[in-house]
């Protein structure tokens, strides 16, 4: 049972990387597009006023933003594909159909039961328009639920076939037919259950607003903790746009909401010092500083032979967080592999906001460095105290780095570049590799794939071949037949054997190794 649980957790962790690893690329390109289209920045860099440059930036950011705003379906497809044991393409296709069935079933049920709010009253209602359909806003959580459900049903019934006239309903069609009533019932059940979750969050909002620095801490912590579910906006949105975030009279008008107050105050020259309401929009300190320290800690604690892999993931993620305030690429990189770090990140984020409030800092930077520079610096130190924002950020950077690095090493956390592949990683010599190849006449000395297969016990011993980003993952009939020395002679950094599951660590070139092995085994397609 323990081995089954561990295998399931490994499959889930690997499947999560399918949608997660695309986020750094998306985020960094969106940030670049925002720079090219920023009107205030164009005042200092006239070349940005060029129509072609502006148009390119607009297209670049505008075409990629929908990816971040539709993470639900992306995680749904990613998990369905990653968790499917076979016929992965069909599983992914089914997940798209199921996602549409779910949101439309929920929309129709909400409408029939009178729960659907008017389209012009969506803000703060707990509902949102998802792919053109108004439903309860469940964010990434919906994608994770549906992806797991689809993969489970797919793995059980994708090979079930019928004879005669009913054979057209076998395979992936049967999977979809089974999923339709399941998903419809799930949509109805969640229509009742999910509002309770949302109500709990809204109730917390009122409590937070009345609790001073403790409330600010809870606010900042929850805003991070709810990132995986996509519900974090239910925490901060009421504070930014309703009276929960404060009420101020500015220029003779009553303004409600932290962000509304901020923009009204910076537009009014009579306002000498920004109000305390701005603190509810000071969420950017951990994005611009803290998480960058976390990235550096992840990189420095990565195994030497995997630092290139870690760098390729963490540098774009850090730049995305600094410039655009998009933190998911970093947070999801350790959320599932080391959840204790995510909890600490949430606590430090809340403490950072408390420090800003104690120091009367009124600078904001919720969308990263560009917003911070353009909105705070022109107002001057008196209105915003922006140098203290930077100082708090530097201190937070150091705390994140020191604490993350200490815990990763102390607890041996399996963060990026620290997978369990360090058992006996000494490489075998090239001469030994050649000797092994020459010792078996059925294997050509220059054919690495055949040597690998032989070292795994032969073709008949291999039940399944797969790979992640650094490892060749196999299920073998008899793992005692594995020749670790020969595998290391082919360039493997290590071999991990757990029952019938064998992992051969090749690093970033594992994809080409997998392709060679598949070809030698005669595996076509999946």
């Amino acid at each position: 049972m323990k081995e089954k649980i561990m295998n399931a957790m490994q499959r889930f962790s690997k499947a999560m990387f399918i949608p997660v690893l695309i986020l750094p690329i998306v985020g960094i390109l969106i940030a670049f597009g925002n720079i090219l289209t920023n009107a205030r920045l164009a005042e200092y860099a006239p070349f940005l006023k060029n129509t072609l440059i502006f148009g390119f930036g607009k297209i670049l950011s505008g075409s990629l933003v929908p990816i971040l705003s539709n993470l639900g379906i992306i995680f749904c497809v990613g998990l369905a594909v990653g968790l499917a044991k076979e016929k992965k393409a069909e599983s992914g296709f089914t997940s798209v159909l199921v996602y549409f069935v779910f949101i439309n079933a929920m929309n129709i049920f909400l409408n029939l039961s009178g729960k659907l709010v008017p389209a012009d009253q969506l803000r703060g209602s707990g509902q949102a328009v998802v792919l053109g359909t108004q439903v309860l806003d469940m964010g990434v959580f919906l994608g994770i639920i549906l992806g797991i459900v689809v993969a489970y049903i797919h793995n059980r019934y994708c090979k079930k076939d019928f004879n005669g006239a009913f054979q057209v309903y076998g395979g992936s069609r049967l999977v979809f037919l089974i999923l339709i009533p399941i998903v419809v019932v799930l949509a109805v059940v969640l229509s009742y259950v999910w509002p309770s979750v949302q109500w709990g969050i809204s109730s917390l909002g009122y409590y937070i607003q009345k609790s001073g620095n403790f409330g600010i801490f809870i606010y900042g912590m929850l805003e991070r903790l709810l990132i995986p579910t996509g519900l974090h906006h239910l925490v901060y949105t009421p504070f930014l746009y309703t009276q929960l975030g404060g009420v101020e009279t500015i220029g003779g008008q009553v303004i409600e909401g932290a962000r509304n107050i901020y923009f009204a105050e910076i537009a009014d020259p009579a306002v000498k010092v920004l109000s305390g309401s701005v603190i509810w929009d000071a969420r950017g300190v951990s994005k611009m500083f803290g998480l960058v320290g976390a990235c550096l800690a992840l990189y420095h604690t990565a195994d030497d032979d995997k630092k290139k892999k870690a760098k390729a993931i963490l540098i774009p993620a850090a730049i995305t967080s600094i410039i655009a305030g998009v933190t998911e690429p970093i947070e999801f990189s350790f959320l599932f592999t080391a959840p204790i770090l995510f909890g600490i990140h949430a606590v430090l984020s809340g403490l950072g906001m408390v420090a800003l409030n104690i120091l009367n800092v009124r600078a904001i930077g919720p969308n990263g460095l560009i917003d911070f520079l353009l909105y705070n610096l022109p107002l001057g130190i008196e209105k915003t105290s922006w140098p203290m924002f930077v100082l708090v950020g530097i201190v937070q950077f150091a705390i994140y780095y020191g604490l993350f690095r200490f815990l990763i090493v102390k607890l041996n956390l399996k963060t990026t570049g620290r997978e369990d592949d360090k058992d006996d990683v000494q490489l075998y010599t090239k001469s030994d590799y050649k000797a092994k190849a020459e010792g078996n006449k059925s294997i050509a000395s220059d054919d690495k794939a055949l040597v690998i297969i032989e070292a795994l016990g032969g073709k008949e011993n291999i039940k399944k071949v797969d790979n992640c980003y650094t490892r060749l993952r196999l299920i073998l009939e008899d793992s005692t037949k594995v020749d670790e020395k020969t595998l290391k002679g082919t360039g493997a950094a290590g071999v991990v054997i757990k029952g019938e599951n064998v992992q051969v660590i090749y690093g970033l070139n594992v994809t080409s190794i997998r392709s060679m092995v598949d070809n030698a085994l005669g595996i076509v397609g999946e």
Side-chain angles (χ1 to χ4, degrees), residues 121-137:
Q121 299 177 18
L122 285 179
R123 178 174 291 174
S125 68
Q127 298 184 15
V129 176
V130 178
L131 299 179
T133 305
Q134 185 176 326
V135 293
L136 294 179
D137 190 0

Side-chain angles (χ1 to χ4, degrees), residues 452-489:
I452 292 172
I453 293 171
E454 181 70 13
L456 292 168
K459 181 176 180 179
E460 65 283 354
N461 194 45
I462 301 174
K463 295 167 63 176
K464 183 178 179 181
V465 182
D466 201 352
N467 73 280
C468 61
Y469 295 97
T470 59
R471 312 178 193 187
L472 189 66
R473 295 174 178 259
L474 309 111
I475 297 179
L476 304 183
E477 193 72 38
D478 183 1
S479 61
T480 62
K481 295 182 179 181
V482 174
D483 186 341
E484 295 188 35
K485 292 183 178 180
T486 299
L487 288 173
K488 291 177 181 178

Side-chain angles (χ1 to χ4, degrees), residues 291-314:
L291 283 176
V292 180
C295 278
L296 188 60
L298 293 174
Y299 173 72
H300 282 167
T301 55
D303 297 336
D304 290 339
D305 60 329
K306 297 171 190 166
K307 285 192 181 293
K308 286 186 178 180
K309 168 197 170 185
K311 186 186 297 184
I313 295 172
L314 296 173

